[in-house]
Amino acid sequence: VNFVHDPEREKKFVADGFGTRRYEVMHNDFVIVGPSSDPAGIEGQKDVRSALQTIAEKQAPFISRGDDSGTHAKELALWKSSGVALEKSEQSIKKNGQDAKVTFEAPKGKWYLSIGQGMGKTLFMAEEKQGYALSDRGTFIQQKYGKTPPTSLEILVEGDKDLFNPYGVIPVSPQKYPGTKIDAATRFAEWLVSPKGQSMIANYKLEGRQLFFPDAIPDAK
C-alpha cells in the first residue's frame, strides 16, 4: 500500500491505474514556524498566503525542504497561489537511495533556500538562519517538546484551512503489479478507516498533544 499525503498526486495515481482506490484516513496540519523575533512580522496572521507574501516582500530567510515530498509539494502550491513571483529551479536529492534531480517552480531570490533534505534538517537550518519554514505540526512538536535541547523556533501562522494536510491510503493495483498482496493490503486499508482504526488515530498523541484527526469517522473517540 501507499500511505501518503499529497491528494492530487494520489488521485492521479489511482486514475492512472496504479492503485485500486484512495481511502480518506486522517489529517493533521502544517504551520509556518520561525524565530520569536519574527523579522517579517507575520505572527498571528490567519491567511497563510498573505504571510508568505510578507516573507517574500521582506526577503526574510525561508528554508524549503526541496525534496519532492508531500510537504514540499504543499509548500510550492501555497507559494503558487500566493502570487509571489516564481522561477524554475532544480534540486539534487536522494530518492530511493539514488541521486536524482527534481525540477519545480519556486520563489526567486537568495532569501529562499531549497536544501533537498527532510523536515528535521529543514527546521535545524531555519533555526540556524533565523528564518521561516513550513512544517508539519507533528515534527515541530517533536522538535519543540521531545528534543533536548528543543528548537527555539515558534509557531507563527496556523489555523488556515489551506494548511490542512490530508492522508490517504491506496492499495497498489494487482493488474499493474501482479505480485502485490492485494487482499492483505485491502484489509489493512479498511482497518484504518474502521471504528477501531479511527479511534486509535484520534487518541494517538505526542508529548500530550493530538497529532492526527480522523477523516473516515470524524467524531471517532
Side-chain angles (χ1 to χ4, degrees):
V1 297
N2 284 328
F3 198 178
V4 285
H5 58 117
D6 189 351
E8 292 310 311
R9 284 197 283 187
E10 292 167 43
K11 291 171 187 174
K12 186 175 188 304
F13 184 82
V14 173
D16 290 346
F18 293 100
T20 58
R21 61 169 285 192
R22 177 183 184 271
Y23 296 78
E24 290 189 8
V25 179
M26 62 190 185
H27 72 272
N28 62 0
D29 64 343
F30 294 106
V31 292
I32 301 290
V33 302
S36 58
S37 59
D38 189 19
I42 62 169
E43 185 175 6
Q45 289 194 25
K46 298 302 181 185
D47 185 334
V48 64
R49 291 172 178 78
S50 176
L52 292 175
Q53 289 169 0
T54 302
I55 290 170
E57 288 165 5
K58 300 287 183 66
Q59 298 192 8
F62 186 95
I63 316 302
S64 170
R65 286 178 61 154
D67 62 350
D68 201 34
S69 63
T71 300
H72 181 221
K74 179 68 173 182
E75 178 220 316
L76 295 177
L78 290 170
W79 282 116
K80 185 174 182 179
S81 61
S82 75
V84 170
L86 307 178
E87 64 181 357
K88 187 169 286 188
S89 299
E90 186 176 74
Q91 177 72 57
S92 296
I93 64 170
K94 285 282 188 183
K95 197 162 191 176
N96 300 322
Q98 302 293 320
D99 291 331
K101 289 187 182 295
V102 291
T103 303
F104 46 84
E105 288 192 331
K108 302 176 181 180
K110 293 181 179 179
W111 58 272
Y112 182 85
L113 303 174
S114 179
I115 65 172
Q117 299 287 341
M119 198 70 253
K121 290 186 178 179
T122 300
L123 292 173
F124 177 81
M125 184 169 285
E127 183 174 24
E128 186 179 61
K129 299 288 187 183
Q130 287 293 281
Y132 299 90
L134 178 76
S135 176
D136 66 281
R137 188 182 292 271
T139 301
F140 182 76
I141 287 173
Q142 189 278 326
Q143 295 282 311
K144 188 71 175 177
Y145 303 104
K147 176 185 170 186
T148 304
T151 179
S152 65
L153 299 173
E154 302 287 350
I155 294 176
L156 300 176
V157 178
E158 61 182 327
D160 188 325
K161 64 180 179 164
D162 290 317
L163 288 170
F164 287 1
N165 179 31
Y167 284 73
V169 64
I170 305 170
V172 174
S173 170
Q175 279 71 44
K176 288 280 188 179
Y177 300 98
T180 298
K181 296 179 180 179
I182 187 61
D183 291 340
T186 301
R187 283 199 304 274
F188 173 66
E190 291 181 348
W191 179 84
L192 283 171
V193 300
S194 72
K196 177 65 173 177
Q198 292 283 282
S199 176
M200 292 187 72
I201 288 167
N203 285 284
Y204 178 71
K205 296 181 180 180
L206 177 65
E207 304 300 328
R209 292 165 171 81
Q210 186 172 349
L211 292 184
F212 298 97
F213 300 86
D215 283 341
I217 307 176
D219 59 352
K221 303 295 184 184

